[in-house]
Amino acid sequence: MLAVAALALVLATRAPLATTVLGLILFGVLHNVLEIRYVAGRFAPVLSGRFLGLLLALITGIVICRLLTAYWPSGARQAEIMLGFVVLAVGGVFGLRTLPGTRSLRGGLIVSGILTLLAAGAIASLAFPAYYFVVLTHLHNLVPLVFLWEWARRIPHRGARTAFRLTQVLWIVLLPLVILAGALDRYVADGPGVVQRFVGSGSAVISSATPPALLDQLGLRFLVVFAFMQTMHYVVWVGFLPRFGADATASFEARVPWLRGRRAWALGLGGGAVLAAVFVSDYVQGKAIYAALASYHAYLEFPVLLALLMAPALVRGRPIPADAVRPASPR
């Protein structure tokens, strides 16, 4: 992980825009498919029944909002924000309901407090929608920390488990802070490079990853952070967890047998190839389609995280196979 993070950091600093754009074209769809496979398999006790159906209905509404953004920018973005906070509220209430004592007065106060915080967040996000989408963009790249931290439970040696977790904290938390502090500015290369024909100057890409108030001063630093984190995000979902999360893959395939073995990879690579053609011909159109489809994996992970943090016994109660640390056998 440290070696790959070092390579990703070099790519992100020397060609931040190209790393961002080409990474999305090459691995965007594939990592969506593989992430959904892992999350749905590993956290099957959470993502099931009516709760899963409700989440899929809400997220489908978000997908529709994103598809309508080009025709109704302000209204569609506001509708997505409201649906996003409803997804969080549903996930939070589900997690709290599994805790003992939630039917008591104290439990009711906790639920009310969480809903109040979410309501305040929704009001602030509706007032400043640009900040909501920038925060969502970066939060999505921080999510692997929680999943990798949870995965590390299967490492039997305590020292090795701690070292693994500290490694994730290093590249997910500390390195981005170093970049934002300007410590690597001398090594950062500006300009669109080989992707100029797709994105022009790249201002739209930079603005999507940078808070509006900091766009002029720190825009390039935020782009480097995003390029680095996105690259490592793909490493986790396309490289690490498919290889070392064989138990999650088996659980998913038991639920969705038509997507067994290499079929998930074929779906991700085939869908990626189709969308890559759209990206090459019209990057803006391709990005809009991708952003809509990516809503499922982006928004589905947040309720799982809330359940994992609030009711860990719900997802940690399943035994982990003794050979789960070993690489998955190719099929």
mmCIF file of all heavy atoms in Angstrom, residues 43 48 78 83 95 101 122 138 140 149 168 242 254-255 292 305:
data_model
loop_
_atom_site.group_PDB
_atom_site.id
_atom_site.type_symbol
_atom_site.label_atom_id
_atom_site.label_comp_id
_atom_site.label_asym_id
_atom_site.label_seq_id
_atom_site.Cartn_x
_atom_site.Cartn_y
_atom_site.Cartn_z
ATOM 1 N N PHE A 43 -21.627 -6.671 3.759
ATOM 2 C CA PHE A 43 -22.594 -6.096 4.685
ATOM 3 C C PHE A 43 -24.022 -6.516 4.326
ATOM 4 O O PHE A 43 -24.956 -5.732 4.408
ATOM 5 C CB PHE A 43 -22.456 -4.576 4.709
ATOM 6 C CG PHE A 43 -21.061 -4.119 5.043
ATOM 7 C CD1 PHE A 43 -20.207 -3.663 4.053
ATOM 8 C CD2 PHE A 43 -20.588 -4.191 6.339
ATOM 9 C CE1 PHE A 43 -18.915 -3.266 4.349
ATOM 10 C CE2 PHE A 43 -19.296 -3.797 6.655
ATOM 11 C CZ PHE A 43 -18.459 -3.336 5.653
ATOM 12 N N SER A 48 -30.404 -5.414 3.017
ATOM 13 C CA SER A 48 -31.353 -6.481 2.703
ATOM 14 C C SER A 48 -32.763 -6.006 2.994
ATOM 15 O O SER A 48 -32.978 -4.986 3.658
ATOM 16 C CB SER A 48 -31.034 -7.745 3.526
ATOM 17 O OG SER A 48 -31.134 -7.461 4.919
ATOM 18 N N GLN A 78 -30.920 20.854 -5.914
ATOM 19 C CA GLN A 78 -31.576 20.958 -4.612
ATOM 20 C C GLN A 78 -32.335 19.679 -4.270
ATOM 21 O O GLN A 78 -32.313 19.224 -3.121
ATOM 22 C CB GLN A 78 -32.514 22.159 -4.599
ATOM 23 C CG GLN A 78 -31.788 23.501 -4.609
ATOM 24 C CD GLN A 78 -32.736 24.670 -4.542
ATOM 25 O OE1 GLN A 78 -33.926 24.542 -4.821
ATOM 26 N NE2 GLN A 78 -32.218 25.834 -4.179
ATOM 27 N N LEU A 83 -32.772 14.552 -1.139
ATOM 28 C CA LEU A 83 -32.813 13.093 -1.150
ATOM 29 C C LEU A 83 -31.571 12.504 -0.485
ATOM 30 O O LEU A 83 -31.649 11.476 0.203
ATOM 31 C CB LEU A 83 -32.923 12.590 -2.591
ATOM 32 C CG LEU A 83 -34.280 12.742 -3.261
ATOM 33 C CD1 LEU A 83 -34.193 12.384 -4.742
ATOM 34 C CD2 LEU A 83 -35.323 11.881 -2.571
ATOM 35 N N GLY A 95 -29.626 2.277 11.866
ATOM 36 C CA GLY A 95 -28.542 1.894 12.756
ATOM 37 C C GLY A 95 -28.917 2.020 14.220
ATOM 38 O O GLY A 95 -28.602 1.157 15.039
ATOM 39 N N GLY A 101 -32.088 -0.139 23.915
ATOM 40 C CA GLY A 101 -32.527 1.053 24.618
ATOM 41 C C GLY A 101 -32.990 2.193 23.735
ATOM 42 O O GLY A 101 -33.279 3.292 24.228
ATOM 43 N N ALA A 122 -28.852 19.823 6.020
ATOM 44 C CA ALA A 122 -29.606 19.970 4.778
ATOM 45 C C ALA A 122 -29.890 21.437 4.481
ATOM 46 O O ALA A 122 -29.768 21.891 3.333
ATOM 47 C CB ALA A 122 -30.913 19.181 4.871
ATOM 48 N N HIS A 138 -15.098 14.684 -1.896
ATOM 49 C CA HIS A 138 -13.934 14.282 -1.105
ATOM 50 C C HIS A 138 -14.288 13.242 -0.041
ATOM 51 O O HIS A 138 -13.468 12.368 0.266
ATOM 52 C CB HIS A 138 -13.294 15.511 -0.462
ATOM 53 C CG HIS A 138 -12.573 16.389 -1.452
ATOM 54 N ND1 HIS A 138 -11.335 16.057 -1.963
ATOM 55 C CD2 HIS A 138 -12.931 17.563 -2.044
ATOM 56 C CE1 HIS A 138 -10.949 16.995 -2.809
ATOM 57 N NE2 HIS A 138 -11.887 17.922 -2.881
ATOM 58 N N HIS A 140 -16.338 10.861 -0.373
ATOM 59 C CA HIS A 140 -16.399 9.571 -1.058
ATOM 60 C C HIS A 140 -15.014 8.930 -1.132
ATOM 61 O O HIS A 140 -14.875 7.708 -1.007
ATOM 62 C CB HIS A 140 -16.977 9.768 -2.460
ATOM 63 C CG HIS A 140 -17.000 8.519 -3.277
ATOM 64 N ND1 HIS A 140 -17.727 7.399 -2.922
ATOM 65 C CD2 HIS A 140 -16.374 8.194 -4.431
ATOM 66 C CE1 HIS A 140 -17.556 6.447 -3.823
ATOM 67 N NE2 HIS A 140 -16.738 6.897 -4.748
ATOM 68 N N TRP A 149 -10.259 -0.279 7.657
ATOM 69 C CA TRP A 149 -10.116 -0.435 9.109
ATOM 70 C C TRP A 149 -10.913 -1.650 9.578
ATOM 71 O O TRP A 149 -10.443 -2.451 10.395
ATOM 72 C CB TRP A 149 -10.610 0.828 9.802
ATOM 73 C CG TRP A 149 -10.238 0.929 11.250
ATOM 74 C CD1 TRP A 149 -10.844 0.302 12.308
ATOM 75 C CD2 TRP A 149 -9.164 1.702 11.815
ATOM 76 N NE1 TRP A 149 -10.234 0.636 13.492
ATOM 77 C CE2 TRP A 149 -9.194 1.500 13.218
ATOM 78 C CE3 TRP A 149 -8.202 2.538 11.272
ATOM 79 C CZ2 TRP A 149 -8.289 2.116 14.072
ATOM 80 C CZ3 TRP A 149 -7.298 3.155 12.128
ATOM 81 C CH2 TRP A 149 -7.348 2.932 13.515
ATOM 82 N N GLN A 168 -3.078 3.064 6.350
ATOM 83 C CA GLN A 168 -4.249 3.677 5.718
ATOM 84 C C GLN A 168 -4.449 5.119 6.195
ATOM 85 O O GLN A 168 -4.808 5.993 5.412
ATOM 86 C CB GLN A 168 -5.502 2.847 6.006
ATOM 87 C CG GLN A 168 -5.361 1.345 5.829
ATOM 88 C CD GLN A 168 -4.571 0.951 4.602
ATOM 89 O OE1 GLN A 168 -4.799 1.440 3.497
ATOM 90 N NE2 GLN A 168 -3.605 0.044 4.790
ATOM 91 N N PRO A 242 -10.910 -6.846 -4.027
ATOM 92 C CA PRO A 242 -11.251 -8.054 -4.794
ATOM 93 C C PRO A 242 -10.286 -9.208 -4.540
ATOM 94 O O PRO A 242 -10.676 -10.370 -4.579
ATOM 95 C CB PRO A 242 -11.159 -7.573 -6.252
ATOM 96 C CG PRO A 242 -11.433 -6.121 -6.187
ATOM 97 C CD PRO A 242 -10.785 -5.667 -4.899
ATOM 98 N N ALA A 254 -23.604 -15.525 -3.827
ATOM 99 C CA ALA A 254 -24.711 -16.349 -3.340
ATOM 100 C C ALA A 254 -26.038 -15.616 -3.481
ATOM 101 O O ALA A 254 -27.085 -16.241 -3.709
ATOM 102 C CB ALA A 254 -24.472 -16.731 -1.881
ATOM 103 N N ARG A 255 -25.998 -14.280 -3.351
ATOM 104 C CA ARG A 255 -27.215 -13.476 -3.488
ATOM 105 C C ARG A 255 -27.531 -13.169 -4.942
ATOM 106 O O ARG A 255 -28.696 -13.065 -5.329
ATOM 107 C CB ARG A 255 -27.069 -12.157 -2.717
ATOM 108 C CG ARG A 255 -26.829 -12.298 -1.237
ATOM 109 C CD ARG A 255 -26.638 -10.951 -0.582
ATOM 110 N NE ARG A 255 -27.862 -10.155 -0.594
ATOM 111 C CZ ARG A 255 -27.948 -8.901 -0.153
ATOM 112 N NH1 ARG A 255 -26.871 -8.294 0.309
ATOM 113 N NH2 ARG A 255 -29.096 -8.263 -0.184
ATOM 114 N N ALA A 292 -24.353 10.200 -12.849
ATOM 115 C CA ALA A 292 -25.683 9.681 -12.523
ATOM 116 C C ALA A 292 -25.606 8.220 -12.093
ATOM 117 O O ALA A 292 -26.141 7.835 -11.042
ATOM 118 C CB ALA A 292 -26.607 9.839 -13.729
ATOM 119 N N LEU A 305 -21.981 2.778 6.336
ATOM 120 C CA LEU A 305 -21.031 3.331 7.292
ATOM 121 C C LEU A 305 -21.714 3.720 8.586
ATOM 122 O O LEU A 305 -21.189 3.488 9.680
ATOM 123 C CB LEU A 305 -20.329 4.547 6.687
ATOM 124 C CG LEU A 305 -19.370 4.263 5.532
ATOM 125 C CD1 LEU A 305 -18.796 5.570 4.999
ATOM 126 C CD2 LEU A 305 -18.254 3.354 5.979
#
